[in-house]
Amino acid sequence: MNSASSKPRIHLAQGLSIGYGESLARIDGEGCGILLEGGTHYLLARNGRGKTTLLKTLAGVLKPLGGDFECKGRCQYLSEDLTFDRELPARAILKALLNKAKLDDALELAEAIELDVEKPYGKLSTGNKRKVALLVAEFSVCDEDLDVLLLDEPFTGLDTFSREAFQKRWDQCQDGVLRLVSCHPDFDSMKLTSSVLITDGEIKHISTDAGDQSWGELKPQLN
Amino acid sequence: MIQRKVWIIALVCALLLPCVLPYLTPYETNPTLIEPARAQAAWVCLWVITAAWLFFQAARFGDETSRSGIGAYFLSSGISGLSQMIQIWLACLTFLLPLVGITLGVCFLGAMPSGGSQAQMWVATNLQYAALFLLVVTPLMMVAVSLGSRFGSTVGYLIPLCMSIYGMYGVGYLAMMTEVQSNLLLDWLYVVSPHYHLADLTPRLIFKQGSMLSSEFMQLVVYFAGIKIVLAMFSSLTFQPRAVT
């Protein structure tokens, strides 16, 4: 269900059901389902409601229980527990996984967010390990392709400074990349332009074209 | 410092043990036996290192690929499970091939017979041995990778290890049992068992029996290639690039 195209897009059709054996969440109601295009979309739900399951399904790692979806673009799924060889320093990991043209940019951002790229991965703190994974995903996007990044709780363990650095980059980048980011925002004023919510076993999309909606406003809707 | 540097131990074993072990025998009674003993030690070391260390490495790589999430990451970016498994397997070969090279080097430089025709025969036998060894060991490494990814490194390591021990020694006992009592089940088991002992050409080297006839050698190549295809198919079906949740 992943294919390259001129514009990245995720389409969750009506009746899509996800889960392991029994349904965790589905798209109900009438209409043509949920359509996500380039930009940053936040996936919000309480624990155990199916955020990771939805991302794995979109990545093609899990099969949906029913219904259909389309994930157009070059897909990358960054799981919450993604780890690398503990002996390798971050520089070697980035060098192995990124192309040469992007490596310098990645190292520049690594320096800006205070990641020690010479330290073995196994000796990095939880937050710094997340930074390595995020750098791999961010700089693996190809300029000629249009990419879909599925990021599962990328901010876990990350300090506010680094999280803001990534969010600022996402806001500034006009790279057409579609980012679907699952997270638990930790301050009510966090602005969310487009959010996919999983609540009461239902997957919903809330998009605010007129202005940003804050986490504080969306929070009461989650169950 | 030595943590996760087992390859150094493997390398030292492959280089030094064939030189040292023959001198631990009562070689003074017949010094001409030193050279065949060196070749025997080199090949036995290679079998032991492969079974004790490389199978475990292969199983661990498979296990870590699925557990670390990197397998799911590559899968999502379009690298299929089969492609991942082959790449891990090729990575394991980068350990194995130099060890085979060292073993051949020890046999050629440290145990080569002096006569021209004998030397030629010696080279041919060792090359045949290396080819059969690789045909036996490489599919078992693939099995280790795939079982490691699905069931963890312990299962991934033990099954290929048991298969190799069974194929080297267990089949011989089975043959004795089938000779003592006629049993259809045992006969059938003997036929379908992997006869890895056929790839062990160490006695040919020790007793200088010369190389195998090409027809005989090709028969073995076809036999082991058949097993390789079966094990490769099994491995590709078993490999699991993502953790089971």
Short mmCIF file of all heavy atoms in Angstrom, two decimals, chain B residues 135 139 142 222-236:
data_model
loop_
_atom_site.label_atom_id
_atom_site.label_comp_id
_atom_site.label_asym_id
_atom_site.label_seq_id
_atom_site.Cartn_x
_atom_site.Cartn_y
_atom_site.Cartn_z
N LEU B 135 29.38 -24.81 1.87
CA LEU B 135 28.03 -25.27 1.48
C LEU B 135 27.25 -25.81 2.69
O LEU B 135 26.02 -25.73 2.72
CB LEU B 135 28.13 -26.37 0.42
CG LEU B 135 28.28 -25.88 -1.02
CD1 LEU B 135 28.60 -27.05 -1.95
CD2 LEU B 135 27.01 -25.18 -1.49
N PRO B 139 24.21 -22.17 4.90
CA PRO B 139 22.76 -22.25 5.11
C PRO B 139 22.38 -22.35 6.59
O PRO B 139 21.34 -21.83 6.99
CB PRO B 139 22.33 -23.51 4.36
CG PRO B 139 23.51 -24.11 3.79
CD PRO B 139 24.71 -23.30 4.09
N MET B 142 22.16 -18.99 7.93
CA MET B 142 20.91 -18.34 7.53
C MET B 142 19.77 -18.80 8.45
O MET B 142 18.92 -18.00 8.85
CB MET B 142 20.60 -18.69 6.08
CG MET B 142 19.62 -17.75 5.43
SD MET B 142 19.36 -18.13 3.71
CE MET B 142 20.47 -17.00 2.93
N VAL B 222 26.06 -31.05 -5.33
CA VAL B 222 24.62 -31.03 -5.66
C VAL B 222 23.79 -31.39 -4.42
O VAL B 222 22.77 -30.75 -4.14
CB VAL B 222 24.32 -32.00 -6.84
CG1 VAL B 222 22.82 -32.17 -7.05
CG2 VAL B 222 24.97 -31.49 -8.11
N TYR B 223 24.25 -32.40 -3.68
CA TYR B 223 23.53 -32.82 -2.47
C TYR B 223 23.43 -31.66 -1.46
O TYR B 223 22.36 -31.33 -0.97
CB TYR B 223 24.24 -34.03 -1.84
CG TYR B 223 23.70 -34.42 -0.49
CD1 TYR B 223 22.41 -34.97 -0.36
CD2 TYR B 223 24.44 -34.23 0.66
CE1 TYR B 223 21.91 -35.32 0.89
CE2 TYR B 223 23.95 -34.58 1.91
CZ TYR B 223 22.68 -35.13 2.02
OH TYR B 223 22.17 -35.45 3.24
N PHE B 224 24.58 -31.02 -1.19
CA PHE B 224 24.57 -29.93 -0.20
C PHE B 224 23.86 -28.68 -0.74
O PHE B 224 23.25 -27.94 0.03
CB PHE B 224 26.00 -29.60 0.26
CG PHE B 224 26.57 -30.65 1.16
CD1 PHE B 224 27.75 -31.29 0.86
CD2 PHE B 224 25.91 -31.02 2.34
CE1 PHE B 224 28.27 -32.27 1.69
CE2 PHE B 224 26.42 -32.00 3.18
CZ PHE B 224 27.61 -32.63 2.85
N ALA B 225 23.94 -28.47 -2.05
CA ALA B 225 23.20 -27.34 -2.64
C ALA B 225 21.70 -27.56 -2.47
O ALA B 225 20.94 -26.60 -2.23
CB ALA B 225 23.56 -27.18 -4.11
N GLY B 226 21.27 -28.82 -2.59
CA GLY B 226 19.85 -29.14 -2.37
C GLY B 226 19.43 -28.80 -0.95
O GLY B 226 18.38 -28.17 -0.73
N ILE B 227 20.25 -29.22 0.00
CA ILE B 227 19.95 -28.90 1.42
C ILE B 227 19.93 -27.39 1.61
O ILE B 227 19.09 -26.83 2.31
CB ILE B 227 20.99 -29.55 2.36
CG1 ILE B 227 20.89 -31.07 2.29
CG2 ILE B 227 20.79 -29.09 3.80
CD1 ILE B 227 21.89 -31.81 3.16
N LYS B 228 20.87 -26.72 0.95
CA LYS B 228 20.97 -25.26 1.07
C LYS B 228 19.67 -24.59 0.58
O LYS B 228 19.17 -23.66 1.22
CB LYS B 228 22.16 -24.78 0.23
CG LYS B 228 22.53 -23.34 0.44
CD LYS B 228 23.72 -22.98 -0.44
CE LYS B 228 23.99 -21.50 -0.37
NZ LYS B 228 25.16 -21.13 0.37
N ILE B 229 19.15 -25.08 -0.53
CA ILE B 229 17.91 -24.49 -1.07
C ILE B 229 16.76 -24.70 -0.08
O ILE B 229 16.00 -23.77 0.20
CB ILE B 229 17.58 -25.11 -2.46
CG1 ILE B 229 18.60 -24.62 -3.48
CG2 ILE B 229 16.17 -24.75 -2.91
CD1 ILE B 229 18.57 -25.35 -4.81
N VAL B 230 16.67 -25.92 0.46
CA VAL B 230 15.58 -26.21 1.41
C VAL B 230 15.71 -25.30 2.64
O VAL B 230 14.73 -24.67 3.08
CB VAL B 230 15.62 -27.70 1.84
CG1 VAL B 230 14.64 -27.97 2.97
CG2 VAL B 230 15.31 -28.60 0.66
N LEU B 231 16.93 -25.18 3.18
CA LEU B 231 17.12 -24.36 4.38
C LEU B 231 16.92 -22.87 4.08
O LEU B 231 16.40 -22.12 4.93
CB LEU B 231 18.51 -24.59 4.98
CG LEU B 231 18.75 -25.98 5.60
CD1 LEU B 231 20.14 -26.07 6.19
CD2 LEU B 231 17.71 -26.32 6.66
N ALA B 232 17.31 -22.44 2.89
CA ALA B 232 17.11 -21.03 2.53
C ALA B 232 15.62 -20.72 2.43
O ALA B 232 15.16 -19.65 2.88
CB ALA B 232 17.81 -20.73 1.20
N MET B 233 14.85 -21.66 1.88
CA MET B 233 13.39 -21.45 1.79
C MET B 233 12.78 -21.41 3.19
O MET B 233 11.95 -20.55 3.50
CB MET B 233 12.75 -22.56 0.95
CG MET B 233 12.96 -22.36 -0.55
SD MET B 233 12.64 -23.83 -1.51
CE MET B 233 10.92 -24.05 -1.25
N PHE B 234 13.21 -22.34 4.03
CA PHE B 234 12.72 -22.36 5.41
C PHE B 234 13.05 -21.04 6.11
O PHE B 234 12.21 -20.44 6.79
CB PHE B 234 13.34 -23.55 6.15
CG PHE B 234 13.14 -23.52 7.64
CD1 PHE B 234 11.93 -23.89 8.20
CD2 PHE B 234 14.15 -23.08 8.49
CE1 PHE B 234 11.73 -23.84 9.57
CE2 PHE B 234 13.96 -23.02 9.87
CZ PHE B 234 12.76 -23.41 10.40
N SER B 235 14.28 -20.58 5.92
CA SER B 235 14.72 -19.35 6.59
C SER B 235 13.93 -18.14 6.11
O SER B 235 13.54 -17.29 6.91
CB SER B 235 16.21 -19.09 6.32
OG SER B 235 16.96 -20.18 6.73
N SER B 236 13.69 -18.06 4.81
CA SER B 236 12.97 -16.89 4.30
C SER B 236 11.53 -16.87 4.81
O SER B 236 10.95 -15.80 4.99
CB SER B 236 13.01 -16.84 2.77
OG SER B 236 12.44 -17.99 2.25
#
